[in-house]
């Protein structure tokens, strides 16, 4: 470039000889080393000089460079002064607000009059005390949990730490109650102002139980009586130092007029069961973490006072000592889930419309003949509290008591575990004539894995058999002595085993399935993997690739090939 000329954007201007206008830039220039200030100029580049003096077409340059720069600058200035978010239509703004928590949504009402009524159009509200608790609260919780192991030594004042945790919880509940009351007051003013009643379909509440729960009851009653809420979830958070906790509703229950309520789904966690009589639209009920002091009559009343229920889920409920007797011939319950309910026992006598049932680690007594429409069954049961070398348990239970008695089961999930097999490997009365899909999961590796042969012989229409074996520290024992059988299976098409280690009993079971199945097409044997549940009555078998030693792989395939060669159809065997 020619000395004395500075090349700009689209123009040529003479170099400025005076110092920079800003003092700081001038000071920075003077702080340069003397060698750099006194350095001789480089010889001019002829090509650069020629390019500098070449004629420039200003309109084309302005359209190519200057217009882009000015456009960007104008856009930046416009974005600083123009409220482009408020320029969006209401539909887009509501989509944005739906992705925020309720606390942040209500805070947008202070922006303008237009933003004040936008939250009123939302059909879902979520009030959670966890959104109010500060990060210091959770830090105190972690420190208190570690003091049991003396991680921090004796330098932590436990009494002061506990007082801080309890103070955070009280302040959070006071703030949440104040927020709810202010929200309801504004809503009442808007109702009187002629804006119409709010319409809310889903309401979620999470709180600590204390004397500040009056606003919670007011919000629930308002939602059920006036807003037409259809999905209501009430969760009580257990306080850190509260041993016995449960939330009680007022004597009138959730609302003042349950017959006009549109409530369809209700979930209660850590609460006593309120009066549910009159909620004719209620079809789904979930009860979780109910206290042990809940009387058994309250559970029994659910089946009789709410005959329109179609789905009932009992989870982690501490049943009172005694028996919860269920005799509801008028009940319309189609799905019944009972999981991890301790201490008591549930006896099912009559549920005529039941289609799907899941019993997970719960003492339930039933006769499947009482459920003529039952098609999906999930049973998880663990028997035995000690190892076999110390405590020997009974192994004469009949599987027909758990699986027999109904001809309509099509999908069956079984998880029978324990240190020792606790049931007999034969059952003359067991019959599953319509069973098509069977999952036998969490089979202890110490058991004889061939025990599902009993189920295969009882299910002539079985099409898919999946088995999942889990490693146990006990050595394999108690092999089953099977009698020769002329049984032939004409429907089974695929066999999948996850946790396959190539043991003698595992290979025996695979060979048995291959010999008796005339329509078998695929045998998949995976060394590593797991079962992923999809709900309570469906699943996916997820495998992980494993590199078998060539000698082991060839040996296993040779044992299986002897049985596969005797079949009339071609069978594909996958070993990974």
């Amino acid at each position: 470039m020619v000395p004395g000329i500075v090349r700009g954007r689209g123009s040529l201007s003479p170099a400025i000889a005076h110092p920079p206008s800003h003092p700081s830039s001038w000071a920075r220039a003077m702080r340069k080393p003397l060698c750099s200030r006194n350095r001789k100029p480089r010889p001019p580049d002829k090509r650069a000089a020629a390019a500098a003096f070449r004629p420039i077409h200003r309109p084309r340059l302005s359209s190519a460079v200057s217009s882009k720069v000015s456009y960007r600058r104008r856009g930046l200035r416009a974005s600083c002064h123009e409220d482009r978010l408020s320029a969006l239509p209401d539909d887009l703004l509501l989509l944005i607000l739906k992705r925020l928590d309720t606390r942040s949504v209500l805070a947008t009402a202070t922006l303008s009059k237009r933003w004040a009524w936008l939250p009123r159009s939302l059909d879902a509200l979520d009030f959670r005390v966890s959104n109010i608790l500060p990060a210091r609260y959770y830090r105190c919780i972690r420190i208190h949990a570690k003091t049991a192991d003396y991680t921090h030594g004796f330098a932590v004042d436990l009494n002061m730490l506990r007082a801080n945790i309890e103070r955070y919880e009280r302040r959070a509940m006071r703030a949440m109650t104040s927020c709810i009351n202010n929200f309801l007051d504004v809503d009442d003013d808007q109702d009187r102002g002629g804006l119409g009643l709010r319409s809310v379909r889903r309401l979620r509440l999470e709180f600590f139980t204390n004397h500040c729960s009056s606003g919670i009851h007011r919000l629930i009653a308002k939602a059920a009586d006036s807003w037409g809420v259809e999905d209501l979830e009430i969760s009580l958070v257990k306080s850190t130092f509260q041993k016995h906790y449960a939330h009680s509703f007022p004597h009138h229950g959730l609302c003042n007029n349950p017959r006009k309520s549109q409530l369809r789904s209700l979930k209660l966690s850590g609460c006593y069961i309120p009066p549910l009589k009159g909620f004719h639209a209620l079809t789904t009920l979930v009860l979780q973490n109910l206290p042990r002091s809940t009387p058994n009559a309250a559970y029994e009343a659910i089946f009789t006072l709410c005959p329109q229920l179609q789905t009932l889920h009992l989870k982690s409920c501490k049943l009172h000592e005694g028996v919860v007797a269920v005799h509801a011939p008028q009940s319309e319950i189609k799905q019944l889930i009972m999981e991890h309910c301790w201490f008591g026992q549930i006896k099912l006598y009559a549920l005529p419309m039941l289609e799907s049932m899941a019993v997970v680690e719960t003492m339930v007594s039933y006769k499947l003949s009482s459920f003529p429409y039952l098609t999906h069954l999930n049973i998880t049961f663990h028997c035995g509290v000690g190892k076999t070398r110390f405590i020997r348990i009974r192994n004469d239970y009949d599987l027909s008591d758990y699986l027999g008695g109904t001809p309509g089961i099509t999908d069956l999930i079984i998880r029978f575990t324990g240190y020792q097999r606790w049931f007999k490997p034969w059952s003359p009365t067991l019959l599953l004539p319509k069973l098509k899909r069977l999952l036998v999961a969490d089979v202890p590796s110490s058991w004889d894995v061939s025990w599902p042969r009993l189920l295969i012989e009882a299910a002539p229409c079985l099409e898919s058999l999946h088995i999942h074996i889990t490693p146990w520290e006990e050595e394999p024992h108690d092999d089953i002595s099977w009698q020769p059988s002329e049984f032939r299976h004409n429907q089974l098409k695929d066999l999948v085993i996850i946790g396959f280690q190539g043991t003698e009993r595992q290979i025996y079971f695979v060979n048995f399935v291959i010999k008796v199945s005339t329509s078998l097409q695929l045998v998949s044997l995976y060394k590593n993997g797991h079962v992923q549940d999809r709900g309570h009555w469906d699943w996916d078998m997820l495998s992980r690739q494993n590199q078998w030693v060539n000698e082991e792989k060839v040996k296993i395939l040779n044992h299986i090939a002897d049985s596969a060669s005797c079949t009339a159809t071609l069978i594909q065997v996958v070993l990974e």
Side-chain angles (χ1 to χ4, degrees), residues 9-263:
R9 295 183 178 179
S11 63
L12 299 175
S13 59
I16 300 176
H18 53 77
S21 59
H22 198 278
S24 60
S25 60
W26 171 251
R28 287 194 298 269
M30 293 304 296
R31 282 198 296 268
K32 293 183 178 180
L34 293 176
C35 59
S36 63
R37 296 203 298 267
N38 299 329
R39 183 180 299 170
K40 295 181 180 181
R42 296 180 179 178
D45 189 356
K46 295 181 179 181
R47 289 178 298 181
F53 285 98
R54 188 176 299 163
I56 299 175
H57 192 271
R58 291 185 180 275
R60 184 175 63 184
L61 183 65
S62 61
S63 62
V65 180
S66 302
S67 62
K68 291 184 178 180
V69 176
S70 60
Y71 175 78
R72 292 173 183 173
R73 290 177 178 174
R74 287 197 303 268
L76 291 176
R77 286 195 296 268
S79 63
C80 296
H81 300 283
E82 182 183 356
D83 187 4
R84 304 178 68 180
L85 184 62
S86 297
L88 297 175
D90 293 345
D91 295 339
L92 292 180
L93 291 178
L94 289 176
L95 290 177
I96 296 174
L97 293 180
K98 287 180 179 180
R99 286 163 172 79
L100 301 177
D101 60 279
T102 301
R103 186 185 180 194
S104 302
V105 170
L106 297 180
T108 60
T110 60
L111 298 178
S112 64
K113 292 182 178 180
R114 182 193 178 196
W115 285 90
W117 68 266
L118 277 176
R120 190 176 179 85
S121 302
L122 295 178
D123 60 351
L125 297 177
D126 193 351
F127 294 93
R128 295 180 181 272
V129 70
S130 56
N131 295 336
I132 304 177
L133 292 169
R136 295 186 299 273
Y137 169 80
Y138 298 101
R139 186 161 55 248
C140 292
I141 293 293
R142 290 192 298 266
I143 294 175
H144 186 272
K146 292 180 180 180
T147 52
D149 301 330
Y150 299 99
T151 304
H152 299 277
F154 296 94
V156 178
D157 190 346
L158 293 179
N159 293 329
M160 182 177 296
L161 188 63
R162 175 171 179 171
N164 290 336
I165 294 175
E166 293 177 343
R167 182 166 60 252
Y168 283 133
E169 294 176 355
R170 291 194 301 269
R171 288 180 177 178
M173 274 307 302
R174 284 198 295 267
M176 180 176 176
T177 304
S178 177
C179 174
I180 292 177
N181 287 327
N182 294 335
F183 168 73
L184 293 176
D185 292 339
V186 173
D187 188 77
D188 293 339
D189 294 339
Q190 292 176 346
D191 292 343
R192 289 189 292 268
L195 295 180
L197 295 176
R198 181 189 296 269
S199 178
V200 178
R201 298 181 59 186
R202 181 175 62 86
L203 176 61
R204 299 285 189 271
L205 293 174
E206 177 194 82
F207 56 94
F208 294 109
T209 180
N210 54 19
H211 60 281
C212 300
S213 57
S214 58
I216 303 293
H217 298 156
R218 180 186 172 192
L219 176 61
I220 296 174
K222 179 81 172 182
D225 289 330
S226 303
W227 295 346
V229 66
E230 298 178 0
D231 186 1
L232 177 60
E233 180 177 333
I234 306 173
S235 300
L236 178 66
V237 183
K238 182 180 180 181
S239 181
T240 307
F241 303 104
Q242 197 171 14
K243 296 182 179 179
H244 305 286
Y245 72 101
H247 180 73
S248 298
F249 295 95
H251 66 279
H252 60 270
L254 297 176
C255 62
N256 298 317
N257 195 351
R259 296 187 179 276
K260 294 184 179 180
S261 172
Q262 301 179 20
L263 189 62

Side-chain angles (χ1 to χ4, degrees), residues 41 60 75 82 90 161 183 200 320 338 378 393 417 427 448:
R60 184 175 63 184
E82 182 183 356
D90 293 345
L161 188 63
F183 168 73
V200 178
H320 193 69
M338 301 164 287
N378 182 348
I393 61 175
T417 61
S427 180
D448 187 347

Side-chain angles (χ1 to χ4, degrees), residues 425 447-454 456-457 465 467 469 478-486 495 497 500-516 523 525 555-556 559-564:
W447 288 17
D448 187 347
V449 74
S450 66
W451 78 263
R453 170 179 169 175
L454 173 65
I456 296 176
E457 296 177 349
L465 174 60
I467 298 178
I469 304 172
D478 193 20
D479 292 345
I480 302 174
S481 299
W482 297 102
Q483 298 296 328
S485 175
E486 299 298 330
L495 169 66
I497 299 180
F500 184 81
Q501 300 293 329
T503 63
E504 179 182 355
R505 301 303 293 179
Q506 293 174 2
I507 295 177
Y508 164 79
F509 178 70
V510 173
N511 288 333
F512 167 78
V513 175
I514 293 176
K515 289 180 180 179
V516 302
V523 176
L525 308 175
K555 183 179 179 180
I556 293 173
H559 285 297
I560 297 176
D562 296 339
S563 299

